[in-house]
């Protein structure tokens, strides 16, 4: 006797299929998955992967998937592609839970085919209105499919849907994964106009490669305040005056830029993205992607020795000026 991924107990002795739901007392009733599917709004539904004929017992998390990507050329090559973890199998049973709090939390790296019937109901019910509060695991399950669209499907619709989720889901892990995926998939797909939708990332207190690439592609300069946000993300930078004497530091930095470059702002000097070093980074969370796609080499400012030396030297000069200014004030 064993339990299949769709929650059906297979009795090999009597060759009788018995629904696993018969062992549970914490659900109200079983429900036809098609009923829930019909309630999902069209804008959500078109971004979902669905299987009405496939056998979910044969579901694999992309063990034979083959994708290769190149961020420099924007080339994406796909050989074979298995079901996405978010694929909704309409053969899998659903059950309305009697008490939502009694439903087990879904595991890390979830797959729809491996959920319990009550969990599947909660997921499909959330998809009928994604403004509802829900455990972050269900958000990631939906997000896996959206990431696949960023690479291989409806980029624009997936981009906008992820942006919508980011405004609703207050979870650091989701915010981090989705930010990186949006920025680097936009670079990969050469959808430069979409950077206009990502300028909200300028509000972050600490800047990384994501914000710098937005600035680079939008041909926008860095203000002294934005340079400070970049410096906050460099571990080797002494941040004492940045944190304790922010106003003076900002004034001195602006004057330093004027003295050196004739402008109170700093334009990124990288004329060609190929000049930057490349560094391995986790870009996508989708567990069906190969490791060399989800964690791949991408261009980097903050992993580029020359750029870090340049911005650090600028900081050191400013740091010393602030130090001297404070010394003179004490006299």
């Amino acid at each position: 006797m064993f339990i299949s991924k769709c929650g059906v107990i297979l009795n090999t002795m009597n060759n009788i299929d018995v629904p696993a739901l018969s062992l549970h007392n914490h659900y109200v009733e079983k429900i036809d998955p098609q009923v829930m599917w019909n309630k999902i709004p069209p804008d959500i539904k078109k971004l979902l992967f669905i299987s009405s004929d496939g056998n979910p017992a044969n579901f694999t998390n992309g063990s034979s998937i083959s994708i290769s990507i190149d961020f420099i050329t924007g080339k994406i090559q796909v050989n074979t592609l298995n079901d996405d973890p978010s694929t909704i199998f309409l053969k899998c049973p659903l059950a309305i839970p009697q008490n939502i709090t009694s439903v087990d939390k879904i595991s890390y790296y979830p797959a729809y085919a491996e959920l319990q019937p009550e969990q599947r109901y909660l997921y499909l019910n959330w998809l009928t209105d994604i403004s509802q509060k829900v455990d972050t695991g269900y958000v990631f399950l939906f997000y896996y499919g959206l990431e696949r669209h960023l690479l291989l499907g409806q980029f624009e619709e997936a981009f906008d849907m992820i942006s919508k989720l980011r405004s609703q889901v207050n979870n650091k892990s989701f915010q981090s994964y989705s930010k990186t995926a949006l920025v680097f998939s936009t670079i990969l797909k050469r959808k430069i106009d979409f950077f206009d939708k990502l300028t909200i990332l300028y509000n972050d207190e600490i800047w990384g490669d994501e914000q710098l690439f937005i600035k680079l592609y939008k041909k926008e300069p860095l203000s002294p305040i934005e340079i400070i946000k970049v410096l906050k993300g460099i571990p080797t930078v002494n941040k004492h005056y940045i944190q304790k004497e922010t106003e003076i530091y900002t004034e001195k930095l602006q004057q330093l830029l004027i003295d050196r470059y004739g402008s109170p702002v700093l334009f990124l000097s990288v004329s060609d993205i190929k000049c930057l070093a490349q560094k391995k980074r986790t870009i996508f969370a989708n567990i069906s992607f190969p490791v060399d796609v989800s964690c791949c080499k991408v261009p980097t400012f903050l992993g580029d020795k020359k750029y870090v030396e340049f911005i650090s030297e600028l900081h050191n000069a400013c740091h010393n000026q602030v130090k001297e200014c404070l010394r003179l004030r004490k006299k």
Side-chain angles (χ1 to χ4, degrees):
M1 179 181 293
F2 64 96
I3 301 179
S4 75
K5 291 177 180 177
C6 268
V8 175
I9 292 182
L10 304 180
N11 189 322
T12 56
M13 293 292 292
N14 301 316
N15 198 28
I16 298 174
D17 290 354
V18 182
L21 293 175
S22 63
L23 300 179
H24 299 173
N25 295 316
H26 53 278
Y27 71 94
V28 177
E29 62 177 313
K30 291 184 286 186
I31 184 172
D32 185 352
Q34 189 66 50
V35 172
M36 295 303 298
W37 174 257
N38 293 338
K39 293 181 179 180
I40 298 174
D43 62 327
I44 301 289
K45 193 178 291 185
K46 70 180 180 180
L47 292 172
L48 298 172
F49 296 94
I50 183 173
S51 176
S52 56
D53 301 319
N55 182 1
N58 296 327
F59 169 81
T60 60
N61 285 334
S63 58
S64 64
I65 190 174
S66 177
I67 307 176
S68 62
I69 61 177
D70 188 326
F71 278 92
I72 300 299
T73 64
K75 182 180 179 181
I76 302 175
Q77 182 176 344
V78 182
N79 293 327
T80 58
L81 205 61
N82 282 344
D83 286 311
D84 193 83
S86 66
T87 300
I88 296 171
F89 291 90
L90 292 182
K91 287 187 176 182
C92 287
L94 305 182
I96 302 175
Q98 190 171 38
N99 183 353
I100 292 178
T101 60
S102 68
V103 179
D104 295 336
K105 287 186 176 294
I106 62 177
S107 62
Y108 287 107
Y109 310 112
Y112 183 86
E114 297 170 346
L115 298 183
Q116 299 169 4
E118 293 89 349
Q119 292 171 330
R120 291 192 204 103
Y121 171 80
L122 292 181
Y123 177 58
L124 295 186
N125 183 64
W126 173 68
L127 289 177
T128 66
D129 177 11
I130 62 171
S131 67
Q132 303 174 80
K133 288 187 177 181
V134 72
D135 183 79
T136 309
Y138 295 103
V139 178
F140 266 104
L141 187 56
F142 181 37
Y143 174 69
Y144 287 158
L146 297 177
E147 278 194 339
R148 181 171 291 214
H149 277 295
L150 288 180
L151 278 183
L152 306 168
Q154 302 177 63
F155 174 89
E156 297 182 8
E157 291 84 353
F159 184 104
D160 289 340
M161 187 61 68
I162 293 172
S163 298
K164 182 177 181 179
L165 289 173
R166 283 178 55 82
S167 69
Q168 299 174 178
V169 180
N170 185 23
N171 176 273
K172 288 184 179 180
S173 180
F174 176 76
Q175 290 288 326
S176 177
Y177 270 114
S178 58
K179 174 179 69 175
T180 303
L182 286 177
V183 171
F184 283 100
S185 64
T186 298
I187 296 172
L188 182 65
K189 300 300 287 287
R190 303 298 193 260
K191 300 283 188 178
I192 307 306
D193 290 346
F194 277 73
F195 280 126
D196 289 332
K197 300 181 179 183
L198 289 175
T199 54
I200 190 172
L201 297 181
Y202 291 171
N203 295 332
D204 290 356
E205 281 301 309
I206 298 177
W207 279 23
D209 282 326
E210 290 84 355
Q211 287 86 354
L212 289 172
F213 275 115
I214 296 172
K215 284 284 185 177
L216 175 67
Y217 279 101
K218 287 179 63 60
K219 299 179 180 179
E220 294 178 348
L222 297 173
S223 69
I225 292 176
E226 292 168 340
I227 293 173
I228 289 173
K229 290 185 175 185
V230 174
L231 290 168
K232 287 180 179 179
I234 301 177
T236 55
V237 164
N238 183 341
K239 303 173 182 64
H240 177 74
Y241 290 138
I242 290 176
Q243 296 168 344
K244 301 295 184 181
E245 302 290 347
T246 305
E247 185 175 346
I248 298 176
Y249 186 96
T250 305
E251 291 175 359
K252 292 297 181 182
L253 181 57
Q254 179 171 296
Q255 188 58 51
L256 186 62
L257 291 172
I258 293 173
D259 294 342
R260 287 189 175 187
Y261 310 109
S263 171
V265 295
L266 179 67
F267 280 89
L268 295 172
S269 60
V270 180
S271 59
D272 188 340
I273 196 173
K274 295 179 183 178
C275 295
L276 288 175
Q278 292 195 32
K279 182 180 179 180
K280 268 202 168 187
R281 284 196 59 184
T282 298
I283 305 298
F284 302 107
N286 193 314
I287 56 179
S288 71
F289 292 172
V291 175
D292 58 353
V293 170
S294 59
C295 182
C296 59
K297 282 188 174 183
V298 294
T300 172
F301 282 98
L302 300 184
D304 185 274
K305 183 179 179 181
K306 290 182 179 180
Y307 180 79
V308 172
E309 287 178 349
F310 164 76
I311 201 78
S312 296
E313 190 280 326
L314 187 65
H315 160 71
N316 291 336
C318 185
H319 179 93
N320 291 334
Q321 288 188 13
V322 173
K323 184 177 182 179
E324 178 64 16
C325 177
L326 293 174
R327 186 186 68 82
L328 293 174
R329 285 186 181 185
K330 290 180 180 180
K331 286 187 174 182

